[in-house]
Amino acid sequence: MKKTIAVVACVAAMFVAGKANAQLGINVGYAPVTLSTATTVGNTTTNTTFEMDGFFAGVTYNYGFGKNLGLAFGLQGRYNTKTTTGNVNVIVASANEKSTTTQMLFDVPVLINYSLPIGSDIKLTAFAGPAFSFAIYGNKHVTTTTTVLSNTSTTENDYPMYDDNSTNSRFDLAAAFGLQFQYTNFRLFGGYRIGLTDLDTRDNIKTTSAGLFVGLGYNL
């Protein structure tokens, strides 16, 4: 009975201390992503990469467990985009193609963090943990302009990334880690994330994500 009371008292003390240290913050930042694909045909494996710029905004709730240790839960929206162009010219004809890939996702990072105070207003924090992602939209828009002699025509096509026939997975699990510098309520943070799941459902193709991220935050 005494042990049970002691455990309850300890948990209650941690809850009170954590609630006193709880902080809600807002974040914005830049998070480019690289999709690495390995395609295996027979005994041959071909590796390709596709890079997109990424931008995010969201909120973070950091729950303190003691003086310097915390657990941060986040919810953020992320927008990835990539535009490429190409052209083919022959004697009497030419074709120009512009391709724009866009993707929107929700991210839920769950990060253990440890802070080292440097003076009264400055803290340096290390963080690490899993980050869950779910893609809510993805599309590739292709505009092709063809010129034959003096006749020009333009066609536009959309290729959804997550329709019923797609082999792309909406869900991703990544390991994230990094450092944060905080001055009063302002935060500057950066780190790296490594995708742990295969984003292609085909057996002979494996696609994983990875990328740096940097951001600014403010504690409310």
Side-chain angles (χ1 to χ4, degrees):
M1 183 67 178
K2 291 182 179 180
K3 290 183 178 180
T4 302
I5 294 175
V7 170
V8 172
C10 182
V11 171
M14 290 178 64
F15 177 79
V16 172
K19 192 168 183 179
N21 294 326
Q23 287 184 320
L24 179 66
I26 55 176
N27 310 305
V28 294
Y30 176 62
V33 62
T34 299
L35 300 177
S36 301
T37 300
T39 304
T40 301
V41 179
N43 296 323
T44 303
T45 299
T46 303
N47 297 300
T48 59
T49 59
F50 183 73
E51 299 177 351
M52 290 188 286
D53 290 318
F55 307 90
F56 66 86
V59 296
T60 300
Y61 184 81
N62 190 39
Y63 191 88
F65 292 98
K67 187 176 182 180
N68 299 318
L69 186 65
L71 182 64
F73 300 87
L75 175 62
Q76 66 184 29
R78 180 157 49 99
Y79 176 78
N80 297 331
T81 184
K82 173 73 171 183
T83 298
T84 59
T85 58
N87 60 80
V88 176
N89 296 296
V90 293
I91 297 175
V92 295
S94 65
N96 299 294
E97 182 179 279
K98 179 181 179 181
S99 173
T100 300
T101 301
T102 55
Q103 186 183 35
M104 291 186 287
L105 310 95
F106 281 128
D107 298 325
V108 181
V110 182
L111 305 174
I112 297 175
N113 54 85
Y114 183 82
S115 299
L116 179 64
I118 305 174
S120 58
D121 295 327
I122 300 175
K123 287 196 300 184
L124 183 64
T125 302
F127 57 85
F132 305 89
S133 298
F134 185 80
I136 59 173
Y137 174 81
N139 186 66
K140 181 178 181 180
H141 183 79
V142 179
T143 301
T144 304
T145 302
T146 304
T147 301
V148 180
L149 296 177
S150 59
N151 298 317
T152 300
S153 62
T154 299
T155 60
E156 298 191 23
N157 294 286
D158 287 294
Y159 302 93
M161 296 174 63
Y162 303 108
D163 62 6
D164 294 337
N165 298 320
S166 173
T167 61
N168 296 315
S169 174
R170 292 179 181 267
F171 176 78
D172 193 14
L173 169 62
F177 53 90
L179 293 173
Q180 174 179 276
F181 176 83
Q182 179 175 334
Y183 176 71
T184 61
N185 289 332
F186 295 91
R187 295 176 286 109
L188 171 66
F189 58 90
Y192 195 80
R193 64 188 185 280
I194 302 173
L196 304 177
T197 56
D198 185 0
L199 300 177
D200 196 302
T201 60
R202 289 169 290 186
D203 294 335
N204 66 318
I205 299 177
K206 182 178 182 180
T207 299
T208 56
S209 66
L212 296 167
F213 58 89
V214 294
L216 296 172
Y218 182 80
N219 293 333
L220 302 175

